[in-house]
Amino acid sequence: VKSRGESPSVCGRARRKVANFKYAQLNVSYSGLVNDNWKLGMNKRSLHYIKRCLGALPAACMLGPDGAPVSWLTLDSSCDVGIAYSMEKYQRADDMARVIMGFMKYLHQNNSPFYFSFLEVNDDSHRFVGQFCSFEATCKYHQWTWYPENLVPF
């Protein structure tokens, strides 16, 4: 029996208290934070790209005790769940695992196509997501464009 304020274990790791942590949608007001912590970002062009993604497509985060995101991931128009990060203090605290699981559930419930891409150095995330996905693509990159129904350009 789990007590109130405790989260279920993820990947066999011990449970920890998650009081004051909340799964939420990541909104465009956090574009600067996302850009500043994205290894492929940190410039004006990437900031514009992130603002467009957060303004039009689903994104998720775990809000910490102070109400600011501590872990997040975003979806882009090619259905890539690729911009993900956990603040250093929370990188081994299962917050990203909870965000990934919640986001995958949301995308499945809404019949939204998605795939994950990882930087070559991100083996932990690759292994974690691999446990829950049905297959791994044999090629390195897929590209298509997806528009939510309310944003279809035609």
Side-chain angles (χ1 to χ4, degrees), residues 87-106:
M87 301 301 277
E88 190 173 335
K89 178 179 177 180
Y90 300 96
Q91 287 181 354
R92 295 286 176 205
D94 288 339
D95 295 314
M96 181 56 77
R98 282 187 284 280
V99 174
I100 290 171
M101 297 304 292
F103 197 54
M104 284 175 55
K105 180 180 177 182
Y106 170 84

Side-chain angles (χ1 to χ4, degrees), residues 115-116 135-144:
Y115 69 97
F116 289 89
F135 70 93
E136 184 174 335
T138 56
C139 58
K140 291 191 178 220
Y141 192 72
H142 294 279
Q143 180 70 48
W144 63 84

Side-chain angles (χ1 to χ4, degrees), residues 19-59:
N20 301 323
F21 284 80
K22 180 183 174 188
Y23 177 82
Q25 179 159 345
L26 184 65
N27 65 49
V28 74
S29 68
Y30 292 108
S31 300
L33 178 67
V34 173
N35 188 50
D36 291 345
N37 290 285
W38 185 29
K39 288 182 181 177
L40 302 177
M42 301 182 209
N43 60 64
K44 287 180 184 178
R45 189 172 181 185
S46 61
L47 178 61
H48 177 73
Y49 170 75
I50 292 167
K51 283 181 179 179
R52 288 192 53 180
C53 289
L54 294 181
L57 300 165

Side-chain angles (χ1 to χ4, degrees), residues 40-82:
L40 302 177
M42 301 182 209
N43 60 64
K44 287 180 184 178
R45 189 172 181 185
S46 61
L47 178 61
H48 177 73
Y49 170 75
I50 292 167
K51 283 181 179 179
R52 288 192 53 180
C53 289
L54 294 181
L57 300 165
C61 68
M62 182 68 64
L63 299 175
D66 63 353
V70 297
S71 296
W72 59 82
L73 50 87
T74 68
L75 184 72
D76 72 13
S77 62
S78 68
C79 304
D80 179 13
V81 180

Side-chain angles (χ1 to χ4, degrees), residues 117-129:
S117 64
F118 304 97
L119 295 176
E120 298 269 335
V121 298
N122 205 341
D123 293 329
D124 290 341
S125 292
H126 189 267
R127 278 191 299 276
F128 177 79
V129 171

